[in-house]
Amino acid sequence: METRELEGLVSVVTGAAQGLGLGIARELAERGSKVLVADLQLAKAEAECENFRVKGLDAIAIELDITNSEGVRDFFSRIEQLDILVNNAGTGQQVAPISELPDLEWHRVIDATLTGSFYCCRAGAEIMEKQEHGAIVNVSSINGQNPAALVAAYNVAKAGVISLTRTLALELAAYGVRVNAVCPNEVNTPMLRTGFKIRGLNPDDAIEELNQSVPIGHIAEPEEIADVVSFLSSDEARYICGSLVEINGGKAVY
């Protein structure tokens, strides 16, 4: 059944031209929100927004490099209304032990996954404080709670997103702004499939193996994460603040 509980609200979703971010942007739009689809891949974002508009949904593509502090400030300074901010943009990591992890790779992952989320949270918080309402949902990961070997930068970045979420929740609650995070397990996205290819694995075979490790029987599709993000963004979650929502299909974190 179609719901329009986000009618009249304005959302920003980062990293929304494909994969999980696109799924989140689509779900927010289907629930009535006007969505700013922010991504470095402007052409891809514009094509997806055109698909949205064909379906009668309200979406605008915006080019945004979340690692550029001034660029982020400029983007948010042009937004008059901001009700929902979803910090989804980030990047994976080249597999390597810490003893062999190059400086450039460490900084690339931290900048795109943690520092970029900080820049957007800071700018979004300024708007929401003045409005005295709003919801921020940060996309962390199971890796932020239970680190895996050979991806130290990614683990640390996602753990940092969790700490950023909880800190910001404490600071913004008095302004009527809620901040939460979702911690998915593996999600069936282009980034996941690309990661398998880089490691010399067949993506379909690797995903099927992952499916067998999940009690529910399959890894998450973007829409299954998007439903939770949309809930946290809505008034139905009005008393949820500073929380981490594990979305893992029953697969234990520890």
Side-chain angles (χ1 to χ4, degrees):
M1 183 175 64
E2 183 180 359
T3 59
R4 303 286 292 183
E5 73 271 25
L6 303 181
E7 192 81 48
L9 303 185
V10 177
S11 305
V12 170
V13 184
T14 66
Q18 65 181 17
L20 178 55
L22 178 59
I24 293 169
R26 183 185 298 113
E27 184 65 27
L28 293 175
E30 288 177 347
R31 296 188 185 215
S33 177
K34 175 180 181 178
V35 182
L36 304 185
V37 176
D39 202 292
L40 266 175
Q41 304 175 91
L42 181 58
K44 185 176 286 189
E46 287 177 335
E48 293 297 346
C49 285
E50 182 58 31
N51 292 334
F52 281 22
R53 288 190 287 270
V54 167
K55 298 177 182 178
L57 306 178
D58 194 352
I60 300 174
I62 304 290
E63 185 173 13
L64 179 64
D65 178 0
I66 64 166
T67 68
N68 184 323
S69 179
E70 290 305 313
V72 170
R73 284 188 181 276
D74 179 66
F75 167 67
F76 280 92
S77 71
R78 292 181 276 116
I79 297 176
E80 296 181 359
Q81 176 186 344
L82 178 61
D83 304 291
I84 298 165
L85 169 59
V86 181
N87 288 303
N88 165 76
T91 187
Q93 182 200 318
Q94 297 173 12
V95 175
I98 291 175
S99 59
E100 299 174 11
L101 184 59
D103 291 358
L104 286 178
E105 180 66 359
W106 171 270
H107 289 295
R108 184 186 71 85
V109 176
I110 296 295
D111 287 350
T113 305
L114 176 56
T115 305
S117 293
F118 160 67
Y119 289 157
C120 292
C121 278
R122 179 176 61 186
E126 185 176 0
I127 298 171
M128 291 180 176
E129 282 181 356
K130 294 175 182 177
Q131 295 175 163
E132 296 190 340
H133 78 267
I136 298 175
V137 182
N138 294 324
V139 177
S140 181
S141 166
I142 190 173
N143 289 63
Q145 302 169 280
N146 186 28
L150 306 179
V151 285
Y154 184 78
N155 296 336
V156 170
K158 288 300 188 180
V161 169
I162 290 173
S163 185
L164 176 65
T165 298
R166 287 172 162 163
T167 304
L168 196 58
L170 293 172
E171 295 179 1
L172 295 185
Y175 295 93
V177 179
R178 298 180 298 102
V179 188
N180 295 289
V182 293
C183 297
N185 207 324
E186 294 90 353
V187 183
N188 190 3
T189 63
M191 187 171 81
L192 180 68
R193 290 178 171 272
T194 298
F196 287 135
K197 289 179 181 178
I198 290 172
R199 291 158 59 189
L201 302 174
N202 180 294
D204 290 336
D205 292 343
I207 287 174
E208 180 54 35
E209 185 174 341
L210 283 176
N211 288 341
Q212 295 175 15
S213 72
V214 181
I216 246 176
H218 67 274
I219 63 172
E221 294 296 329
E223 294 75 15
E224 292 170 309
I225 310 302
D227 283 341
V228 180
V229 172
S230 296
F231 165 70
L232 291 172
S233 302
S234 73
D235 282 344
E236 292 180 336
R238 59 189 173 275
Y239 202 66
I240 301 177
C241 185
S243 295
L244 308 179
V245 180
E246 297 173 14
I247 314 175
N248 55 25
K251 190 172 181 179
V253 174
Y254 297 105

